[in-house]
Amino acid sequence: MLDRSPGNNHDFVMALKFLQNRPRLVGSVFKNHAVVGNDHPIGPSYAMHCESLAQRAQDLDKAKFHFKKSGITEAEIVTADMGPGMIDMALLTQAEARKIGLDLKVKRVASDGYWGTVWLNTPICCAWWNMRPTANMMLSLQFHSEAPWNDSRFKNARVDQILLESRAETDVDKRKEMFCEAEELISNLAGNIIPVHRNYVDAKMKIVKGMRRGPLSAFGGAEFPEYIWLDV
């Protein structure tokens, strides 16, 4: 879910972040085929995932505080059946919003043309991303100030600097520190609400051999046919 309205209201975004019942989303919407997210896209499958970053939990008192401070009384999430759990996540957020007095409407639209007409064009909508091979690639696509797919219009000079400098950093520990800083800035300042990271679930017959595990992509990644054979 993301708020990309011009100069998005930080307090309203924080209210939505504190509304998220993340364990419930993992259990009820994704049937435990997901892990709790922390409002940035670098989940535990990435080497640059920041384990030390404090996990944001549901806090209705904080959500209500930021909601009242925002001055917004109602809003609308636009969503479609474009990916697993997208509609259910919006509806669960709507139910939690009622607890703090927020009138959060959910508008379901047709799937056809969603990425062209809703995503990048609607103030609040739902989206999901395919993961990229590296944390730098993922963050550069979604959060660099000049990225065309920066879907919450996030602009932060320090994050831009980290994305550039980390490409040349050969010390793994130092690079991890840099990404921890970037993930914290995105989690706290960006207009993206990322409550879960969905698992890739593969299925294969016993006669299928050579399929490698790819935690960031289905069926071991885009090159999987090159390594797979049938043992018949």
Side-chain angles (χ1 to χ4, degrees):
M1 189 185 309
L2 56 101
D3 176 1
R4 67 180 309 276
S5 54
N8 59 38
N9 189 306
H10 178 67
D11 281 292
F12 183 70
V13 171
M14 292 306 297
L16 291 179
K17 290 181 178 182
F18 281 117
L19 277 180
Q20 302 303 310
N21 190 331
R22 299 162 199 260
R24 184 179 176 189
L25 285 170
V26 169
S28 63
V29 175
F30 294 96
K31 311 304 179 187
N32 293 317
H33 289 297
V35 296
V36 168
N38 206 14
D39 301 318
H40 65 80
I42 309 305
S45 294
Y46 282 98
M48 294 294 108
H49 171 69
C50 188
E51 302 90 347
S52 62
L53 181 60
Q55 174 63 54
R56 181 169 288 117
Q58 186 183 53
D59 189 323
L60 295 182
D61 289 335
K62 289 183 179 179
K64 190 172 184 178
F65 168 80
H66 286 289
F67 163 55
K68 288 187 173 180
K69 190 177 176 183
S70 75
I72 296 173
T73 58
E74 62 179 32
E76 180 180 77
I77 302 173
V78 182
T79 187
D81 193 13
M82 293 298 299
M86 278 181 61
I87 294 173
D88 289 337
M89 290 174 70
L91 291 174
L92 184 57
T93 301
Q94 180 187 54
E96 298 295 339
R98 295 192 188 103
K99 298 177 182 179
I100 65 168
L102 170 59
D103 180 13
L104 188 61
K105 298 176 174 61
V106 174
K107 180 181 179 180
R108 182 173 178 176
V109 299
S111 299
D112 290 348
Y114 183 84
W115 297 115
T117 59
V118 175
W119 183 65
L120 298 181
N121 293 293
T122 304
I124 304 176
C125 69
C126 295
W128 61 273
W129 280 75
N130 291 318
M131 295 296 96
R132 268 53 181 190
T134 68
N136 192 296
M137 187 183 296
M138 186 70 239
L139 296 184
S140 295
L141 282 170
Q142 193 176 10
F143 292 101
H144 191 280
S145 297
E146 298 180 1
W149 287 356
N150 184 332
D151 50 10
S152 64
R153 294 175 173 157
F154 177 73
K155 295 184 184 297
N156 185 280
R158 177 55 183 156
V159 170
D160 291 350
Q161 181 183 16
I162 289 172
L163 292 175
L164 177 63
E165 294 179 355
S166 63
R167 295 170 190 166
E169 180 54 64
T170 58
D171 186 315
V172 175
D173 292 335
K174 177 61 176 177
R175 190 162 69 247
K176 183 76 172 281
E177 290 178 9
M178 297 168 75
F179 275 100
C180 275
E181 182 183 353
E183 290 162 34
E184 183 175 11
L185 287 168
I186 291 167
S187 177
N188 291 331
L189 300 177
N192 303 67
I193 297 90
I194 305 176
V196 299
H197 300 287
R198 179 170 57 88
N199 294 347
Y200 286 102
V201 181
D202 295 334
K204 65 181 181 68
M205 298 177 66
K206 292 181 179 179
I207 62 173
V208 177
K209 305 297 181 180
M211 193 176 85
R212 303 185 299 181
R213 181 176 180 271
L216 300 176
S217 182
F219 294 105
E223 299 179 354
F224 76 89
E226 185 177 344
Y227 304 100
I228 290 178
W229 72 94
L230 297 180
D231 185 11
V232 295

